[in-house]
Amino acid sequence: MEADWGAIRTDLAMEAHELATQRRGGMIPGVISQSEEKGPARISRVTIQTEEAGRALGKQPGYYVTVEAPALRRRDKDDLEEVGKILAEEIRNFLREMQINEAASALVVGLGNWNATPDALGPKVVELVLVTRHLWSFSPPEKRGGLRPVCAISPGVLGITGLETGEIVAGIVQKIHPDFLLVIDALASRNVERLGAVVQLANTGINPGSGIGNRRLGITPAMLGVPVIALGVPTVVDARTIIHDALELTGAGMGIQREFLNIQERLSPFFRQLIVTPKEIDILIQDLSRVVAGAINIALHPGVTPEEVFRYLD
Amino acid sequence: MEADWGAIRTDLAMEAHELATQRRGGMIPGVISQSEEKGPARISRVTIQTEEAGRALGKQPGYYVTVEAPALRRRDKDDLEEVGKILAEEIRNFLREMQINEAASALVVGLGNWNATPDALGPKVVELVLVTRHLWSFSPPEKRGGLRPVCAISPGVLGITGLETGEIVAGIVQKIHPDFLLVIDALASRNVERLGAVVQLANTGINPGSGIGNRRLGITPAMLGVPVIALGVPTVVDARTIIHDALELTGAGMGIQREFLNIQERLSPFFRQLIVTPKEIDILIQDLSRVVAGAINIALHPGVTPEEVFRYLD
Amino acid sequence: MEADWGAIRTDLAMEAHELATQRRGGMIPGVISQSEEKGPARISRVTIQTEEAGRALGKQPGYYVTVEAPALRRRDKDDLEEVGKILAEEIRNFLREMQINEAASALVVGLGNWNATPDALGPKVVELVLVTRHLWSFSPPEKRGGLRPVCAISPGVLGITGLETGEIVAGIVQKIHPDFLLVIDALASRNVERLGAVVQLANTGINPGSGIGNRRLGITPAMLGVPVIALGVPTVVDARTIIHDALELTGAGMGIQREFLNIQERLSPFFRQLIVTPKEIDILIQDLSRVVAGAINIALHPGVTPEEVFRYLD
Amino acid sequence: MEADWGAIRTDLAMEAHELATQRRGGMIPGVISQSEEKGPARISRVTIQTEEAGRALGKQPGYYVTVEAPALRRRDKDDLEEVGKILAEEIRNFLREMQINEAASALVVGLGNWNATPDALGPKVVELVLVTRHLWSFSPPEKRGGLRPVCAISPGVLGITGLETGEIVAGIVQKIHPDFLLVIDALASRNVERLGAVVQLANTGINPGSGIGNRRLGITPAMLGVPVIALGVPTVVDARTIIHDALELTGAGMGIQREFLNIQERLSPFFRQLIVTPKEIDILIQDLSRVVAGAINIALHPGVTPEEVFRYLD
């Protein structure tokens, strides 16, 4: 289910929408979009209402929110925490709109490969998520102090486990029956300016072929029978995308598609495995993990203050 | 189900048997034991035939084999590989006796905490296990070249996931239906001489309270409905055990139990969390992971030679 | 230069003093000692005034301060930071008494093996030390904002580099001429209750044979020609020590020395490499690194507030 | 000392030579170049004889050898070892031509940042280098078995230590007086096809501004007074380079330089920090470290067979 834009690949609905409107030269029927500024962040909301609109954008119908904040890429703690709080509010909005109450139990899933730096966001977030499910059953309701039962797992990738991530998650869901899932993944964007600077939330779950690791099986509400919130951050751009963009900027015009394929042919097959990423990707992943895990801890546990959350993240 | 030996704790059936015969001054009815030398290893086989014998030893009835090889603690590759091959044979014996055939699918489970060095054996072995399940279904039978479908997972520990290890494993087993499990764990022994020098195999699975991490839920054939081979290596001794032994060696006699409790009282509660381990525990865990993973790869994949296996372990 | 106490080994002057007074049944001439309570910490100051007193204690003459705070072993951030601030004050006292002024340049040295968890304290602290030397020369004096020029290095261990730590440090000192050194090391204590609960400061530098890694060459003011403050934290106890203590508690009396040697003989040579350490040593080292690095950053940079320092430690 | 090719950056003399001849449309006076096939590798030898030729190529005068082997990027052990042996021969050729005898002592230096995956090659190689200096002095000449005294260090980067790498290396060299240096670094190439597929050797040492980390101070024979062999592997391509290449392939002709600058202006300043690298960079660095360390161990220790060397690398 990918729109035919040559090599341009993006996991962000907002970018897919931008591209589609550009190409069509106008609005896409069945897509509602709006955006607002909020402190250091720009928040975009895209609703894909119909299957047809979904095909036009190459995305599942559903509700997508992106929190865009270049501050995520700077190393200032105050900025990072402020973005974390805004992100927490957006996660709470999702819970509210999906009618998930404050006592509903959560399973947080960190997708990706802990041995591949740009793909390790999910597992790193999971290490920082405040898990409470194992404590919760021992404490009387009046003592639970605004803590929701939360558990968390990093299922690994096919090459390490021999198991489809979707199988592992489905097995655990059927065993422990969480009320909803929050699934974290590293994404590909089409624009280098969004690398490490955007968090996308969606009520669609994770679809096959998305994420850096290109999962084969989805992790979706339909598959699991429970709501699934997907949270993703672009950490790479496909190397072919920036070439495509450069060609476009030259005004290569109609011939661009042909030129591009031509260039790809001359370059090696190895080229398809190349990514564009910041030199300091290890530090970026570390900072992003803290912000995302902080936002999750604030949003899932109404009784914990943001100050407490960020203090205990290390 | 622990025999009352004061503070003496061991996860090795062979040590439990030694202790029980010492105390009773004779053989334990319902326990059959024998041992043999095999190259650099001494192999002991203990069968606990009855529930009563199990209570006397503080172990589940079942068949236990220990491969004891001080060479495991030296850093010589030839020695390590030789022990690995002997261990592989013993794993194959288990498969044969449990009537698990060459095409039966395996789930390898690495128990323990990857953030705590002496408890990280299981997860480290899993990183080195040759997984094939995802490739297997794509290849025609005549091309499978002696590769059994194998998948592997490290479920983490309660404090990281909020989930009982047993729940995660049961969920995955019910989803993917492996024909048998091979579960790896770091153990506690009662004798410092066995630290990192012994591998125990058992057909009983993993029982609650065993292993360094003191799991609450078992991972047993009864619980999962499939055979479970447990493979464990002692990497720590409880600090209280070596004090107990020292007292015994002084010939403190009848009063030893009283003295010991007395000493414990004077020492802090913190003392209960102390372990005895080699200074070079990080290197020991790394060497042991290679030997154990090598043995598993040889035993599970009849078409792979030991030479190939050890060559590709890094 | 170790006093003859059988197998009892300690790197803490305070413990050496306790032992010596116990054995002698009275004060040691040439040793001045006092202690005080300060919030959650107990601070002991021992001055060894003469060579003879040094021999009695098995320590170099000099000034030793220990900050003892069991809170270091609990995982409460407020407690950890409070101990960090007290430790910072004591480091500042050392600077003052050693007449090291606020602009004097520091070289922080993290001794130990980053591949051996209990020995990795020094390298981990160095990763968290706020280095400024490379920025300092570019900024005019009025803009230096209370930042002292600080650089930091972890020289590794002999088995990894093939170089004596002392050679590497001496080479760097002769090249960059720091005004003083602050050397961090993991230590052995004789009492499990002090594991991870004590920080020792000394103006003697690091002497041969001290620390977990048993360095052969010292890192001392005499060797380097500049003041050397040594900061150490006990992270292990020699396994032989706790046996010795147990025997002593039984009142084994005069025969204890003989019994002990007897026991050692029966135990394997491997026993000498065994340490007693908390099961959660990885987490303990992480917490201690933060406290020690935080205290160093506060003490070395008068213009940085403790709040800023702890906020940026992750 | 960089030739003016717009944004095209390369640390490989062979690529600089290719570029310069292309632009000039002919040979560069003062540069001798030849190449040969050797098993799975293509070996190119470039000698830059004059300062003027050096300016034309943007490289120091000296002798450069590149071993180009796409097999380095495949995960086949036999191939990796074969390339390792060819590389070892080339290192030995350098030793011979630089008149460094078999007993001459070596200091191996691993440049780069161990916390940044594509820049971590040097430190990872150092962890695998067989160090012998500390053992050598204890063994009589007839027992040294073809082992040269070798020591090794990873000095870290300015942001971690506050020290120029060159200062640390100079300090150690002046202290321990090695007979020669072998310095390992991760490089930038201009062609994605050379990523992880080429090893460059040079007798020029490391010059300021080269390597991923863009060092400010050189590590050169002139600076240190001893021969310095530099060994580097390209692990990244500057993202601007692939855009430049794409434009060139479109035949944008004369306007290319202008177009390119135009594109850069429209893209963010963040763009300058972007690299192109394989998705599986972590695994590539690990494989390359083994090959390079293996080649170094073979070349430096004439008494060790290649089989022994690769067997002990893990």
Coordinates of all heavy atoms in Angstrom, one line a residue, chain B residues 272-307:
Chain B
R272 N 22.5 -10.5 53.0 CA 21.7 -11.5 52.2 C 21.8 -11.3 50.7 O 21.5 -12.2 49.9 CB 20.3 -11.5 52.6 CG 20.0 -12.1 54.0 CD 18.7 -11.7 54.5 NE 18.6 -12.1 55.9 CZ 18.3 -13.4 56.3 NH1 17.9 -14.3 55.4 NH2 18.2 -13.7 57.5
Q273 N 22.2 -10.1 50.3 CA 22.2 -9.8 48.9 C 23.6 -10.0 48.3 O 23.9 -9.7 47.1 CB 21.8 -8.4 48.6 CG 20.4 -8.0 49.1 CD 20.3 -6.5 49.2 OE1 20.8 -5.8 48.3 NE2 19.6 -6.0 50.2
L274 N 24.5 -10.5 49.1 CA 25.9 -10.6 48.7 C 26.2 -11.9 48.0 O 25.7 -13.0 48.5 CB 26.9 -10.4 49.8 CG 26.8 -9.0 50.4 CD1 27.8 -8.9 51.6 CD2 27.2 -7.9 49.4
I275 N 27.0 -11.9 47.0 CA 27.4 -13.1 46.3 C 28.9 -13.2 46.2 O 29.6 -12.2 46.4 CB 26.9 -13.1 44.8 CG1 27.3 -11.8 44.1 CG2 25.3 -13.2 44.7 CD1 27.1 -11.8 42.6
V276 N 29.4 -14.4 46.0 CA 30.8 -14.7 45.8 C 30.9 -15.0 44.3 O 30.2 -15.8 43.8 CB 31.3 -15.8 46.7 CG1 32.8 -16.1 46.4 CG2 31.1 -15.5 48.1
T277 N 31.8 -14.4 43.7 CA 32.0 -14.6 42.2 C 33.4 -14.3 41.8 O 34.1 -13.6 42.6 CB 30.9 -13.6 41.5 OG1 30.7 -14.1 40.2 CG2 31.4 -12.2 41.5
P278 N 33.9 -14.8 40.7 CA 35.3 -14.5 40.3 C 35.4 -13.0 40.0 O 34.5 -12.4 39.4 CB 35.6 -15.3 39.1 CG 34.4 -16.3 39.0 CD 33.3 -15.7 39.7
K279 N 36.6 -12.4 40.3 CA 36.8 -11.0 39.9 C 36.6 -10.8 38.4 O 36.1 -9.8 38.0 CB 38.3 -10.7 40.2 CG 38.6 -9.3 40.6 CD 40.1 -9.0 40.6 CE 40.8 -9.6 41.8 NZ 42.2 -9.2 41.9
E280 N 36.9 -11.8 37.6 CA 36.8 -11.7 36.2 C 35.5 -12.2 35.6 O 35.4 -12.9 34.6 CB 38.0 -12.4 35.5 CG 39.4 -12.1 36.0 CD 39.9 -10.8 35.3 OE1 39.4 -10.5 34.2 OE2 40.8 -10.2 35.9
I281 N 34.4 -11.9 36.4 CA 33.1 -12.5 36.0 C 32.7 -12.1 34.6 O 32.1 -13.0 33.9 CB 32.1 -12.1 37.1 CG1 30.7 -12.7 36.7 CG2 32.0 -10.6 37.3 CD1 30.6 -14.1 36.9
D282 N 33.0 -10.9 34.1 CA 32.6 -10.5 32.8 C 33.2 -11.4 31.7 O 32.5 -11.8 30.8 CB 32.9 -9.0 32.5 CG 32.4 -8.1 33.6 OD1 32.8 -8.1 34.8 OD2 31.5 -7.3 33.3
I283 N 34.4 -11.7 31.9 CA 35.1 -12.6 30.9 C 34.6 -14.0 31.0 O 34.4 -14.7 30.0 CB 36.6 -12.5 31.1 CG1 37.2 -11.2 30.6 CG2 37.3 -13.7 30.4 CD1 38.6 -10.9 30.9
L284 N 34.4 -14.4 32.2 CA 33.9 -15.8 32.4 C 32.5 -16.0 31.7 O 32.3 -17.0 31.0 CB 33.8 -16.1 33.9 CG 33.3 -17.5 34.3 CD1 34.3 -18.5 33.8 CD2 33.1 -17.7 35.8
I285 N 31.6 -15.0 31.9 CA 30.3 -15.1 31.3 C 30.4 -15.1 29.8 O 29.7 -15.9 29.1 CB 29.4 -13.9 31.7 CG1 29.1 -14.0 33.2 CG2 28.2 -13.8 30.9 CD1 28.1 -15.0 33.6
Q286 N 31.4 -14.4 29.2 CA 31.6 -14.3 27.8 C 32.0 -15.7 27.3 O 31.5 -16.2 26.3 CB 32.6 -13.2 27.5 CG 32.8 -13.0 26.0 CD 34.0 -12.0 25.8 OE1 34.0 -10.9 26.4 NE2 35.0 -12.5 25.1
D287 N 33.0 -16.3 28.0 CA 33.5 -17.6 27.5 C 32.5 -18.7 27.7 O 32.3 -19.5 26.8 CB 34.7 -18.0 28.4 CG 36.0 -17.2 28.0 OD1 36.0 -16.5 27.0 OD2 37.0 -17.3 28.7
L288 N 31.7 -18.6 28.8 CA 30.7 -19.6 29.0 C 29.6 -19.5 27.9 O 29.1 -20.5 27.5 CB 30.1 -19.5 30.4 CG 31.0 -19.9 31.6 CD1 30.3 -19.4 32.9 CD2 31.3 -21.4 31.6
S289 N 29.2 -18.3 27.6 CA 28.2 -18.1 26.6 C 28.6 -18.7 25.2 O 27.8 -19.3 24.6 CB 28.0 -16.6 26.3 OG 27.7 -15.9 27.5
R290 N 29.9 -18.6 24.9 CA 30.3 -19.2 23.6 C 30.3 -20.7 23.7 O 29.8 -21.3 22.7 CB 31.8 -18.8 23.3 CG 31.9 -17.4 22.8 CD 33.4 -17.0 22.6 NE 34.0 -18.0 21.8 CZ 34.2 -18.0 20.5 NH1 33.7 -16.9 19.8 NH2 34.8 -18.9 19.8
V291 N 30.7 -21.3 24.8 CA 30.7 -22.7 24.9 C 29.3 -23.3 24.8 O 29.0 -24.2 24.1 CB 31.4 -23.2 26.2 CG1 31.2 -24.7 26.4 CG2 32.9 -22.8 26.1
V292 N 28.4 -22.6 25.6 CA 27.0 -23.1 25.7 C 26.3 -22.9 24.4 O 25.7 -23.9 23.9 CB 26.3 -22.4 26.9 CG1 24.8 -22.7 26.8 CG2 26.9 -22.9 28.2
A293 N 26.5 -21.8 23.8 CA 25.8 -21.5 22.5 C 26.4 -22.4 21.4 O 25.6 -23.0 20.6 CB 26.0 -20.1 22.1
G294 N 27.7 -22.7 21.5 CA 28.3 -23.6 20.5 C 27.7 -25.0 20.7 O 27.3 -25.6 19.7
A295 N 27.6 -25.5 21.9 CA 27.1 -26.8 22.1 C 25.6 -26.9 21.6 O 25.2 -27.9 21.0 CB 27.2 -27.1 23.6
I296 N 24.8 -25.9 21.9 CA 23.4 -25.8 21.5 C 23.4 -25.9 19.9 O 22.6 -26.7 19.4 CB 22.7 -24.6 22.0 CG1 22.6 -24.7 23.5 CG2 21.4 -24.4 21.4 CD1 22.0 -23.5 24.2
N297 N 24.2 -25.1 19.3 CA 24.1 -25.0 17.8 C 24.5 -26.4 17.2 O 23.9 -26.8 16.2 CB 25.0 -23.9 17.3 CG 24.4 -22.5 17.6 OD1 23.3 -22.4 17.9 ND2 25.3 -21.5 17.6
I298 N 25.5 -27.0 17.8 CA 25.9 -28.4 17.3 C 24.8 -29.4 17.6 O 24.4 -30.1 16.7 CB 27.2 -28.9 18.0 CG1 28.4 -28.0 17.7 CG2 27.5 -30.3 17.7 CD1 29.6 -28.2 18.6
A299 N 24.2 -29.3 18.8 CA 23.2 -30.4 19.1 C 21.9 -30.2 18.4 O 21.3 -31.2 18.0 CB 23.0 -30.3 20.6
L300 N 21.5 -29.0 18.2 CA 20.2 -28.7 17.5 C 20.2 -28.9 16.0 O 19.2 -29.2 15.4 CB 19.6 -27.4 17.9 CG 19.3 -27.1 19.4 CD1 18.5 -25.8 19.5 CD2 18.6 -28.3 20.0
H301 N 21.4 -28.6 15.4 CA 21.5 -28.7 14.0 C 22.4 -29.8 13.5 O 23.6 -29.6 13.4 CB 22.0 -27.3 13.4 CG 21.1 -26.2 13.8 ND1 19.7 -26.1 13.4 CD2 21.3 -25.1 14.5 CE1 19.2 -25.0 13.9 NE2 20.1 -24.4 14.5
P302 N 21.9 -31.0 13.3 CA 22.7 -32.1 13.0 C 23.6 -31.9 11.7 O 24.6 -32.6 11.6 CB 21.8 -33.3 12.8 CG 20.4 -32.7 12.9 CD 20.4 -31.3 13.3
G303 N 23.2 -31.0 10.9 CA 23.9 -30.9 9.6 C 25.1 -29.9 9.7 O 25.8 -29.7 8.7
V304 N 25.3 -29.3 10.9 CA 26.4 -28.4 11.0 C 27.5 -29.0 11.8 O 27.3 -29.7 12.8 CB 25.9 -27.1 11.8 CG1 26.9 -26.0 11.9 CG2 24.6 -26.6 11.2
T305 N 28.7 -28.9 11.3 CA 29.8 -29.5 12.0 C 30.3 -28.6 13.2 O 30.1 -27.4 13.1 CB 31.1 -29.7 11.1 OG1 31.6 -28.3 10.8 CG2 30.7 -30.4 9.8
P306 N 30.8 -29.2 14.2 CA 31.4 -28.4 15.3 C 32.3 -27.3 14.9 O 32.3 -26.2 15.4 CB 32.1 -29.4 16.2 CG 31.3 -30.7 15.9 CD 30.9 -30.6 14.5
E307 N 33.2 -27.6 13.8 CA 34.1 -26.7 13.4 C 33.4 -25.4 12.8 O 33.8 -24.3 13.1 CB 35.0 -27.3 12.3 CG 36.0 -28.3 12.8 CD 35.4 -29.5 13.4 OE1 34.3 -30.0 12.9 OE2 35.9 -30.0 14.5

